[in-house]
């Protein structure tokens, strides 16, 4: 499934504010940076090149960052050949300079004034290989296979009890179970360290959903990204991310198949009972985790101890829960975590 962030801000965090969480926050080593990929370019001109044209193109292509550039006159077609090893890849690129003075590269066409676009083409090739040139990015600017890799990595279960525990320690333990490196903006560690105890029990949920739920009340978000083709997870301030990992996902199956217990009938009558107690009673009956949108609850000043009532009736849990929550200006959403486990997300009626 393609991630869609519930909300977001207009800015990206500057690269200069980056910390490796392994070194600064979680107490493990940083990740080594791989060697640069070598890309050799041979430009085949369909027409004899004037000295000024050759010099102009050579300057643009050299500044773009090709490892080597050479020219010849002839007839050829754009091509791309990979060599080297997995640890030290090399590419041999044949480009064609046509009569219209356009440079035809594999999966790209450029004019002399397209220096920025040529640089982006080259960076994509170095980072993603030919797949990056031919595949439309999915969420977070990742290739579909990369998004699946992130989803699978974040499906690791949370093993320890979390309620009331320090957010920084819980985040550290969850991150240790995820097979991807973490980084952070410099403003994040103080916020995470100063956070009060985790408000919900996250044990048993997948790491991605648990981290997103832990970070949200602190004004922090989880953002998958790639650097030099390598996947990593950034913890950032919410206002500095255009999109971020959500707290769970809409289920693929209908609600009745995702959580059948929620649609079992019962005789119900609720008389001025704190809404939190009603939610807990239903949670125990249907055996499903419950997470609260504490950020929205605080924003709209919702009191979980507010008394609610539901008239005597023969109904099912989902309807009784909806009625009780609505009385407190709340609603529930049935979501699933990265491993497909269902849970209830309690949030406000108003966004």
């Amino acid at each position: 499934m393609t991630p869609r962030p519930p909300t977001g801000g207009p800015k990206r965090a500057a690269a200069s504010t980056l910390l490796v969480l392994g070194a600064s926050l979680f107490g493990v080593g940083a990740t080594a940076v791989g060697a640069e990929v070598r890309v050799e370019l041979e430009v085949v001109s369909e027409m004899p090149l004037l000295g000024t044209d050759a010099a102009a193109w050579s300057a643009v292509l050299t500044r773009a960052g090709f490892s080597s550039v050479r020219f010849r006159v002839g007839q050829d077609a754009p091509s791309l050949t990979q060599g080297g090893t997995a640890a030290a890849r090399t590419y041999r690129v044949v480009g064609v300079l046509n009569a219209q003075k356009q440079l035809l590269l594999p999966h790209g066409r450029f004019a002399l004034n397209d220096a920025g676009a040529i640089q982006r083409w080259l960076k994509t090739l170095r980072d993603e290989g030919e797949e990056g040139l031919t595949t439309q990015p999915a969420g977070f600017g990742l290739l579909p296979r990369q998004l699946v890799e992130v989803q699978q990595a974040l499906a690791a279960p949370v093993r320890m009890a979390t309620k009331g525990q320090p957010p920084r320690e819980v985040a550290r333990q969850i991150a240790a179970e995820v097979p991807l490196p973490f980084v952070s903006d410099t403003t994040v560690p103080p916020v995470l360290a100063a956070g009060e105890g985790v408000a919900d029990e996250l044990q048993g949920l997948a790491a991605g959903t648990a981290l997103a739920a832990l970070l949200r009340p602190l004004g922090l978000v989880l953002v998958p990204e790639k650097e030099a083709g390598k996947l990593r997870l950034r913890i950032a301030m919410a206002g500095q991310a255009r999109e971020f990992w959500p707290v769970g996902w809409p289920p693929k199956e209908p609600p009745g198949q995702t959580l059948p217990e929620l649609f079992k009938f019962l005789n119900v009558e609720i008389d001025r009972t704190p809404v939190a107690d009603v939610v807990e009673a239903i949670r125990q009956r249907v055996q499903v985790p419950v997470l609260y949108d504490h950020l929205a609850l605080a924003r709209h000043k919702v009191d979980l101890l507010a008394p609610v009532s539901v008239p005597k009736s023969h109904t099912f849990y989902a309807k009784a829960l909806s009625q009780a929550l609505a009385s407190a200006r709340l609603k529930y959403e049935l979501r699933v975590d990265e491993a497909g486990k269902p849970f209830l997300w309690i949030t406000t009626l108003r966004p």
Side-chain angles (χ1 to χ4, degrees):
M1 35 184 108
T2 302
R4 293 281 185 247
T7 56
K11 299 179 181 178
R12 279 282 193 194
S16 61
T17 67
L18 193 67
L19 290 175
V20 178
L21 286 193
S24 67
L25 187 60
F26 293 151
V28 295
T31 315
V33 178
E36 182 177 77
V37 177
R38 183 172 179 81
V39 182
E40 301 170 352
L41 174 64
E42 181 179 36
V43 179
V44 180
S45 178
E46 296 179 341
M47 304 288 289
L49 270 176
L50 296 175
T52 52
D53 289 342
W57 274 108
S58 179
V60 167
L61 297 172
T62 301
R63 285 198 301 270
F66 286 94
S67 305
S68 66
V69 180
R70 68 188 186 93
F71 293 82
R72 66 177 172 87
V73 177
Q75 297 292 320
D76 214 326
S79 64
L80 177 61
T81 306
Q82 181 176 341
T85 65
R89 285 178 292 134
T90 63
Y91 291 98
R92 181 178 180 274
V93 180
V94 174
V96 174
L97 194 58
N98 64 19
Q100 290 75 44
K101 297 185 178 181
Q102 295 173 319
L103 178 62
L104 309 183
L105 296 177
H107 319 293
R109 179 188 297 262
F110 307 97
L112 185 60
N113 60 357
D114 290 334
I118 296 172
Q119 287 179 334
R120 290 191 292 273
W121 182 95
L122 181 57
K123 184 178 187 306
T124 299
L125 177 63
R126 281 200 168 107
D127 289 352
E128 312 291 354
E130 189 171 7
E131 181 187 11
L133 299 174
T134 59
T135 305
Q136 185 70 26
F140 305 100
L142 305 181
L143 298 177
R145 65 169 175 80
Q146 293 173 324
L147 198 56
V148 170
E149 185 178 343
V150 171
Q151 189 102 14
Q152 291 173 342
L154 290 174
V158 176
R159 303 182 187 279
M160 73 291 190
T162 66
K163 190 167 185 177
Q165 298 302 309
R168 177 175 174 174
E169 177 61 18
V170 173
R172 185 191 68 79
Q173 293 195 44
I174 294 175
E177 301 292 332
V178 176
L180 289 175
F182 281 76
V183 296
S184 161
D185 304 324
T186 54
T187 51
V188 167
V191 175
L192 199 51
E196 298 180 358
V198 176
D200 295 322
E201 184 52 69
L202 306 173
Q203 188 175 32
L205 287 166
T209 292
L211 274 174
L214 179 154
L215 296 172
R216 181 173 167 80
L218 303 176
L220 302 174
V221 291
L222 181 67
V223 183
E225 60 184 21
K226 57 189 175 184
E227 177 64 25
K230 304 295 184 182
L231 293 174
R232 66 187 188 184
L233 298 166
R234 178 197 292 266
I235 297 179
M237 303 301 295
Q240 295 177 325
R242 289 193 182 94
E243 55 180 338
F244 48 83
W245 204 257
V247 183
W249 310 88
K252 293 181 179 180
E253 304 296 334
Q257 294 181 30
T258 303
L259 188 59
E261 294 82 358
L262 200 57
F263 297 90
K264 290 182 178 179
F265 277 80
L266 76 158
N267 294 318
V268 62
E269 182 178 14
I270 300 171
D271 183 25
R272 296 189 58 77
T273 302
V275 64
D277 291 351
V278 174
V279 173
E280 176 59 18
I282 293 177
R283 184 200 67 77
Q284 291 182 16
R285 295 289 187 91
V286 302
Q287 290 296 295
V288 65
V290 171
L291 300 181
Y292 285 92
D293 187 355
H294 295 284
L295 184 65
L297 266 61
R299 181 187 301 134
H300 295 291
K301 299 179 180 178
V302 174
D303 183 4
L304 292 177
L305 297 179
V308 296
S309 299
V310 174
K312 185 176 181 180
S313 62
H314 184 67
T315 187
F316 48 94
Y317 287 112
K319 186 174 181 181
L321 179 59
S322 292
Q323 289 178 304
L325 290 173
S327 299
R329 298 177 290 138
L330 296 169
K331 64 178 181 179
Y332 83 89
E333 296 175 8
L334 179 58
R335 299 186 179 185
V336 296
D337 68 9
E338 291 72 22
K341 181 175 182 175
F343 67 94
L344 298 181
W345 174 244
I346 309 296
T347 188
T348 52
L349 289 173
R350 293 174 55 199

PDB file of all heavy atoms in Angstrom, residues 35-38 82-91:
ATOM      1  N   ALA A  35      31.439   3.598  -1.454  1.00  0.00           N
ATOM      2  CA  ALA A  35      32.231   4.313  -2.445  1.00  0.00           C
ATOM      3  C   ALA A  35      31.330   4.877  -3.539  1.00  0.00           C
ATOM      4  O   ALA A  35      30.266   4.335  -3.832  1.00  0.00           O
ATOM      5  CB  ALA A  35      33.257   3.364  -3.052  1.00  0.00           C
ATOM      6  N   GLU A  36      31.783   5.982  -4.147  1.00  0.00           N
ATOM      7  CA  GLU A  36      31.002   6.607  -5.209  1.00  0.00           C
ATOM      8  C   GLU A  36      30.965   5.710  -6.441  1.00  0.00           C
ATOM      9  O   GLU A  36      31.952   5.054  -6.775  1.00  0.00           O
ATOM     10  CB  GLU A  36      31.608   7.960  -5.582  1.00  0.00           C
ATOM     11  CG  GLU A  36      30.787   8.682  -6.660  1.00  0.00           C
ATOM     12  CD  GLU A  36      31.344  10.053  -6.990  1.00  0.00           C
ATOM     13  OE1 GLU A  36      32.349  10.117  -7.714  1.00  0.00           O
ATOM     14  OE2 GLU A  36      30.772  11.041  -6.502  1.00  0.00           O
ATOM     15  N   VAL A  37      29.819   5.680  -7.087  1.00  0.00           N
ATOM     16  CA  VAL A  37      29.641   4.881  -8.295  1.00  0.00           C
ATOM     17  C   VAL A  37      30.292   5.618  -9.469  1.00  0.00           C
ATOM     18  O   VAL A  37      30.049   6.807  -9.684  1.00  0.00           O
ATOM     19  CB  VAL A  37      28.145   4.647  -8.564  1.00  0.00           C
ATOM     20  CG1 VAL A  37      27.952   3.884  -9.869  1.00  0.00           C
ATOM     21  CG2 VAL A  37      27.512   3.898  -7.397  1.00  0.00           C
ATOM     22  N   ARG A  38      31.090   4.903 -10.236  1.00  0.00           N
ATOM     23  CA  ARG A  38      31.767   5.504 -11.384  1.00  0.00           C
ATOM     24  C   ARG A  38      30.864   5.427 -12.609  1.00  0.00           C
ATOM     25  O   ARG A  38      30.322   4.365 -12.928  1.00  0.00           O
ATOM     26  CB  ARG A  38      33.094   4.784 -11.644  1.00  0.00           C
ATOM     27  CG  ARG A  38      33.899   5.380 -12.783  1.00  0.00           C
ATOM     28  CD  ARG A  38      35.278   4.770 -12.889  1.00  0.00           C
ATOM     29  NE  ARG A  38      36.020   5.354 -14.010  1.00  0.00           N
ATOM     30  CZ  ARG A  38      36.651   6.506 -13.961  1.00  0.00           C
ATOM     31  NH1 ARG A  38      36.672   7.191 -12.816  1.00  0.00           N
ATOM     32  NH2 ARG A  38      37.297   6.977 -15.017  1.00  0.00           N
ATOM     33  N   GLN A  82      26.080  -1.868 -17.138  1.00  0.00           N
ATOM     34  CA  GLN A  82      26.573  -1.893 -15.766  1.00  0.00           C
ATOM     35  C   GLN A  82      27.733  -2.862 -15.648  1.00  0.00           C
ATOM     36  O   GLN A  82      27.748  -3.937 -16.247  1.00  0.00           O
ATOM     37  CB  GLN A  82      25.466  -2.303 -14.795  1.00  0.00           C
ATOM     38  CG  GLN A  82      25.932  -2.319 -13.332  1.00  0.00           C
ATOM     39  CD  GLN A  82      24.811  -2.630 -12.366  1.00  0.00           C
ATOM     40  OE1 GLN A  82      23.639  -2.505 -12.699  1.00  0.00           O
ATOM     41  NE2 GLN A  82      25.170  -3.051 -11.157  1.00  0.00           N
ATOM     42  N   GLY A  83      28.744  -2.487 -14.837  1.00  0.00           N
ATOM     43  CA  GLY A  83      29.876  -3.354 -14.572  1.00  0.00           C
ATOM     44  C   GLY A  83      30.319  -3.214 -13.137  1.00  0.00           C
ATOM     45  O   GLY A  83      29.587  -2.703 -12.284  1.00  0.00           O
ATOM     46  N   GLY A  84      31.530  -3.650 -12.870  1.00  0.00           N
ATOM     47  CA  GLY A  84      32.051  -3.571 -11.512  1.00  0.00           C
ATOM     48  C   GLY A  84      31.440  -4.628 -10.612  1.00  0.00           C
ATOM     49  O   GLY A  84      30.990  -5.689 -11.064  1.00  0.00           O
ATOM     50  N   THR A  85      31.404  -4.343  -9.325  1.00  0.00           N
ATOM     51  CA  THR A  85      30.855  -5.263  -8.334  1.00  0.00           C
ATOM     52  C   THR A  85      29.733  -4.572  -7.575  1.00  0.00           C
ATOM     53  O   THR A  85      29.504  -3.366  -7.723  1.00  0.00           O
ATOM     54  CB  THR A  85      31.945  -5.690  -7.332  1.00  0.00           C
ATOM     55  OG1 THR A  85      32.372  -4.538  -6.581  1.00  0.00           O
ATOM     56  CG2 THR A  85      33.144  -6.297  -8.059  1.00  0.00           C
ATOM     57  N   ALA A  86      29.052  -5.337  -6.725  1.00  0.00           N
ATOM     58  CA  ALA A  86      27.971  -4.751  -5.924  1.00  0.00           C
ATOM     59  C   ALA A  86      28.505  -3.661  -5.006  1.00  0.00           C
ATOM     60  O   ALA A  86      27.819  -2.669  -4.728  1.00  0.00           O
ATOM     61  CB  ALA A  86      27.281  -5.843  -5.109  1.00  0.00           C
ATOM     62  N   ALA A  87      29.737  -3.812  -4.544  1.00  0.00           N
ATOM     63  CA  ALA A  87      30.323  -2.829  -3.638  1.00  0.00           C
ATOM     64  C   ALA A  87      30.929  -1.648  -4.384  1.00  0.00           C
ATOM     65  O   ALA A  87      31.118  -0.580  -3.800  1.00  0.00           O
ATOM     66  CB  ALA A  87      31.387  -3.492  -2.780  1.00  0.00           C
ATOM     67  N   ALA A  88      31.252  -1.834  -5.663  1.00  0.00           N
ATOM     68  CA  ALA A  88      31.878  -0.764  -6.450  1.00  0.00           C
ATOM     69  C   ALA A  88      31.333  -0.820  -7.876  1.00  0.00           C
ATOM     70  O   ALA A  88      31.983  -1.316  -8.799  1.00  0.00           O
ATOM     71  CB  ALA A  88      33.395  -0.916  -6.443  1.00  0.00           C
ATOM     72  N   ARG A  89      30.110  -0.315  -8.040  1.00  0.00           N
ATOM     73  CA  ARG A  89      29.466  -0.360  -9.356  1.00  0.00           C
ATOM     74  C   ARG A  89      30.093   0.646 -10.316  1.00  0.00           C
ATOM     75  O   ARG A  89      30.559   1.717  -9.908  1.00  0.00           O
ATOM     76  CB  ARG A  89      27.974  -0.046  -9.227  1.00  0.00           C
ATOM     77  CG  ARG A  89      27.135  -1.170  -8.648  1.00  0.00           C
ATOM     78  CD  ARG A  89      25.688  -0.745  -8.513  1.00  0.00           C
ATOM     79  NE  ARG A  89      25.524   0.296  -7.496  1.00  0.00           N
ATOM     80  CZ  ARG A  89      24.813   1.404  -7.658  1.00  0.00           C
ATOM     81  NH1 ARG A  89      24.218   1.647  -8.819  1.00  0.00           N
ATOM     82  NH2 ARG A  89      24.704   2.274  -6.680  1.00  0.00           N
ATOM     83  N   THR A  90      30.060   0.297 -11.588  1.00  0.00           N
ATOM     84  CA  THR A  90      30.450   1.217 -12.654  1.00  0.00           C
ATOM     85  C   THR A  90      29.411   1.161 -13.758  1.00  0.00           C
ATOM     86  O   THR A  90      28.738   0.136 -13.938  1.00  0.00           O
ATOM     87  CB  THR A  90      31.830   0.862 -13.247  1.00  0.00           C
ATOM     88  OG1 THR A  90      31.746  -0.435 -13.857  1.00  0.00           O
ATOM     89  CG2 THR A  90      32.907   0.867 -12.190  1.00  0.00           C
ATOM     90  N   TYR A  91      29.245   2.263 -14.465  1.00  0.00           N
ATOM     91  CA  TYR A  91      28.326   2.303 -15.608  1.00  0.00           C
ATOM     92  C   TYR A  91      29.066   2.902 -16.798  1.00  0.00           C
ATOM     93  O   TYR A  91      29.789   3.903 -16.666  1.00  0.00           O
ATOM     94  CB  TYR A  91      27.091   3.157 -15.292  1.00  0.00           C
ATOM     95  CG  TYR A  91      26.165   2.545 -14.275  1.00  0.00           C
ATOM     96  CD1 TYR A  91      26.218   2.940 -12.932  1.00  0.00           C
ATOM     97  CD2 TYR A  91      25.233   1.584 -14.638  1.00  0.00           C
ATOM     98  CE1 TYR A  91      25.376   2.389 -11.994  1.00  0.00           C
ATOM     99  CE2 TYR A  91      24.381   1.023 -13.697  1.00  0.00           C
ATOM    100  CZ  TYR A  91      24.459   1.426 -12.384  1.00  0.00           C
ATOM    101  OH  TYR A  91      23.627   0.869 -11.453  1.00  0.00           O
TER     102      TYR A  91
END
